[in-house]
Amino acid sequence: MSALLETRSLSKSFGGLNVTNNVDLAISSGDRVALIGPNGAGKTTLVNLMSGALPVSSGEVLIGGDTVTHMSQQDRAHRGLIRTFQITRLFESMTVADILRVAAVQKHKAGLKLRWGRARTDLVERDVERVLADIKMQDRRDSPVTLLAYGEQRLVELGVALVMQPRVLLLDEPAAGVPQSESHIIMDAIERLPSDLGVVFIEHDMDLVFRFAERIVVLVNGGVFATGTTDEIAANDDVRAIYLGEADE
Amino acid sequence: MTNLHRSIGAAAVIPLAAVALALIFPNQQAFLAQIAITALVVLSLDLVVGFAGLATLGHAAMYGAGAYGAALYALHVWAEPLTGLIVGGLAGATIAFLSALMLMRSHGLTFLMMTVAITQILYEIVNKSRAVTGGDDGLYGIVMKPLLGVFEFDFYGRLAFWYAAVVLWLVFLLLRHIVASPFGLTVRAVRDDGDRVATLGGNIFGHRVALYTLSGAIAGLAGALSAQTVQVVGLHSLSVTFSADILVMLVMGGAGRLWGGLLGALVFMMIHHYAAEIDPVRWMLFVGAILVAIVLFLPKGLFGGLEALVNRLRGRAPA
Ligand SMILES: Nc1ncnc2c1ncn2[C@@H]1O[C@H](COP(=O)(O)OP(=O)(O)O)[C@@H](O)[C@H]1O
Ligand SMILES: [Mg+2]
């Protein structure tokens, strides 16, 4: 079976700066892959290339075996690829429930519909309620999102992705900016994701990485520096020297 | 108050206001008709500016298309008002759709400049097509058949006012429904962060084109009403100046809220009417001063200010 998401010799440069270097990755159903690497290693850029937010310089992106290298973000989303943002991007004029509703409306391809109707309302509201429960924000449903604490906004950012029920989920530092005391809500929600989903998450907290990842990809200067199971990476001296050592300081 | 009560209450505001205005200004029905028509075009502008977040100085293109379309239809085809109204709406929608295909991939200043350019091109085409459009003389001698085959348009503008008020009311009810629909919700999301909607699979371009076309259809209706009730259509209806005027009304009233557009049109037209009577030369200064005051003190416009006041009187924190 072909991988849910694959990159082949993926490269990106900004001017003369090579930010992504010949990256080969394959994400299969059920994968839990942590993407780690120092700041500026090119992790977010890689997510941008896979999701279609940025055009590639060379190489290919495939979803379910089909080349999507030149497809829009929108079309990749329809193929089941959803990403979240390192810096929260929510619809700032809206309440929590409406933001989730926007996602649910897109999921059910109802963005151009002029009527809610009973059936569509049911579908959309079921998604909204499911996710509000998942991120434990039922009591915040009617809060304008700009009035939430940043940690709560991170939860909503994750919630938007959960509404979509993707096949592959790319999480760019989902817990960044969330107080330690609340990061378990994010991690619990990630842990409850359907087991057949392919998940790639960028994370700096090595405790979280070792707890949730089965496989780790270490990115340095835009290239894959090492890849392996959590145990292999933990035992890899080069990785320790370059990355883990640095993170421990 | 339940949602149902609130909906019924909101639906009653325009009819009640129309009756009140007709009682207070019994001899100014033609002017009141102008207010209703202007409110309609400002309402359509609010879809683009307030709900889609696209600042435009080209809305007159659609209003003018509706006005000329309805005028030509009445002069050469059939002087029946309701089919003429539909022709005006279609004319506005067509211009909006065609320009949206060019406009809706641009943003900000580029978008603004292109709306101006398209309006000026249209203005010049109409200006130069003298044989059809009357050039800078405009089109006149538009005499409409009775509305619904029964009600004659009168010299005092009584029918004109009720006709315009009913169209305004129906469009307002339709827009309230649309703004709350999946489409309306998505349009607001696209305004806040279009790219984010794309990452969820939404079609930003499609949404913008659909919204602009809808807005153009309504502006076209307003233009048609104007042609049919004033019985004259001039180049002003297609001008950037007129586009700017209705933008001022919208900002005064409060963009992004349907009530804001209505209130803005009403207040602007009243000020215009009375200030121009007192001082025909410098009345624009009044409007300018009031606009500056609103922008400084009421960033959400008159309606936003009114709402904040009501909330405070009720002892509630503003939303
Ligand atoms: N749009 C861009 N234009 C130019 N340089 C960029 C752009 N986006 C990212 N970069 C550069 O690419 C490098 C990798 O950035 P990024 O992918 O955000 O790293 P990470 O997410 O691993 O911290 C950085 O040096 C950054 O400055
Ligand atoms: Mg990053």
Side-chain angles (χ1 to χ4, degrees), chain A residues 73-74 77-78 81-83 85 89 91-94 98 101-103 105-107 110-116 120 157 160 164, chain B residues 177-178 180-204 206-207 210 319:
Chain A
Q73 310 187 66
Q74 176 198 334
H78 284 302
L81 176 72
I82 294 292
R83 57 89 53 98
F85 289 86
R89 281 177 63 178
F91 309 114
E92 58 189 25
S93 70
M94 296 189 185
D98 271 345
R101 221 165 260 138
V102 169
V105 164
Q106 309 318 310
K107 175 185 166 194
L112 286 167
K113 298 286 192 254
L114 297 177
R115 281 173 46 83
W116 280 104
R120 186 172 300 124
E157 174 80 28
V160 167
M164 302 304 291
Chain B
H177 173 83
I178 289 178
S181 73
F183 175 69
L185 183 67
T186 307
V187 164
R188 278 182 289 137
V190 170
R191 171 195 63 196
D192 286 0
D193 189 344
D195 209 40
R196 187 73 171 101
V197 179
T199 67
L200 302 172
N203 181 348
I204 306 171
H207 274 95

Side-chain angles (χ1 to χ4, degrees), chain B residues 231-299:
Chain B
Q231 300 177 312
V232 176
V233 174
L235 281 171
H236 179 68
S237 69
L238 269 174
S239 64
V240 172
T241 319
F242 180 67
S243 305
D245 279 349
I246 57 178
L247 188 60
V248 166
M249 296 181 214
L250 178 60
V251 172
M252 272 174 99
R257 305 292 299 271
L258 295 176
W259 294 116
L262 297 182
L263 193 62
L266 178 67
V267 170
F268 182 98
M269 295 292 283
M270 286 288 177
I271 294 173
H272 180 167
H273 196 63
Y274 289 103
E277 236 165 50
I278 296 165
D279 188 339
V281 183
R282 274 167 294 189
W283 72 273
M284 240 353 238
L285 278 179
F286 285 102
V287 176
I290 291 171
L291 185 68
V292 169
I294 288 175
V295 169
L296 285 180
F297 300 113
L298 300 172

Side-chain angles (χ1 to χ4, degrees), chain A residues 15 18 29 61 79 98 139-140 154-155 170 174 190:
Chain A
N18 294 326
S29 177
V61 179
R79 287 170 176 253
D98 271 345
D139 59 333
R140 296 299 229 174
R154 292 305 290 162
L155 277 171
L170 310 177
I190 294 176

Side-chain angles (χ1 to χ4, degrees), chain B:
Chain B
M1 220 168 41
T2 67
N3 276 339
L4 184 66
H5 285 140
R6 199 170 286 141
S7 295
I8 294 172
V13 169
I14 290 179
L16 291 176
V19 170
L21 286 170
L23 291 174
I24 299 170
F25 305 98
N27 301 319
Q28 312 231 31
Q29 308 254 330
F31 169 57
L32 294 181
Q34 272 309 300
I35 294 181
I37 293 167
T38 309
L40 186 59
V41 69
V42 175
L43 209 54
S44 74
L45 179 66
D46 197 13
L47 291 179
V48 178
V49 176
F51 289 92
L54 300 165
T56 167
L57 279 171
H59 213 60
M62 281 81 79
Y63 177 81
Y68 276 93
L72 291 170
Y73 176 78
L75 289 170
H76 303 299
V77 184
W78 193 22
E80 194 283 320
L82 292 183
T83 51
L85 196 59
I86 292 169
V87 168
L90 288 176
T94 307
I95 294 293
F97 178 74
L98 294 177
S99 38
L101 296 180
M102 290 181 271
L103 282 170
M104 291 303 159
R105 297 209 191 269
S106 61
H107 306 271
L109 219 47
T110 319
F111 175 86
L112 186 71
M113 291 294 97
M114 282 177 64
T115 62
V116 171
I118 289 173
T119 307
Q120 287 188 326
I121 289 168
L122 213 62
Y123 183 99
E124 274 314 310
I125 291 173
V126 171
N127 188 19
K128 293 287 186 295
S129 315
R130 183 166 275 279
V132 182
T133 63
D136 52 12
D137 292 338
L139 291 168
Y140 43 87
I142 304 164
V143 181
M144 302 309 294
K145 289 189 183 302
L147 187 61
L148 299 168
V150 180
F151 305 105
E152 298 272 357
F153 283 90
D154 57 291
F155 179 74
Y156 302 101
R158 269 186 218 108
L159 178 65
F161 173 54
W162 289 109
Y163 177 35
V166 168
V167 174
L168 174 66
W169 184 51
L170 294 177
V171 169
F172 179 79
L173 294 182
L174 177 76
L175 289 187
R176 265 180 73 86
H177 173 83
I178 289 178
V179 162
S181 73
F183 175 69
L185 183 67
T186 307
V187 164
R188 278 182 289 137
V190 170
R191 171 195 63 196
D192 286 0
D193 189 344
D195 209 40
R196 187 73 171 101
V197 179
T199 67
L200 302 172
N203 181 348
I204 306 171
F205 181 71
H207 274 95
R208 290 204 168 129
V209 172
L211 181 88
Y212 203 67
T213 306
L214 171 71
S215 168
I218 296 168
L221 291 180
L225 282 176
S226 171
Q228 294 179 349
T229 59
V230 182
Q231 300 177 312
V232 176
V233 174
L235 281 171
H236 179 68
S237 69
L238 269 174
S239 64
V240 172
T241 319
F242 180 67
S243 305
D245 279 349
I246 57 178
L247 188 60
V248 166
M249 296 181 214
L250 178 60
V251 172
M252 272 174 99
R257 305 292 299 271
L258 295 176
W259 294 116
L262 297 182
L263 193 62
L266 178 67
V267 170
F268 182 98
M269 295 292 283
M270 286 288 177
I271 294 173
H272 180 167
H273 196 63
Y274 289 103
E277 236 165 50
I278 296 165
D279 188 339
V281 183
R282 274 167 294 189
W283 72 273
M284 240 353 238
L285 278 179
F286 285 102
V287 176
I290 291 171
L291 185 68
V292 169
I294 288 175
V295 169
L296 285 180
F297 300 113
L298 300 172
K300 290 178 177 172
L302 289 170
F303 183 69
L306 209 61
E307 207 175 28
L309 186 69
V310 169
N311 282 337
R312 186 173 308 172
L313 291 180
R314 281 188 187 164
R316 257 201 265 144

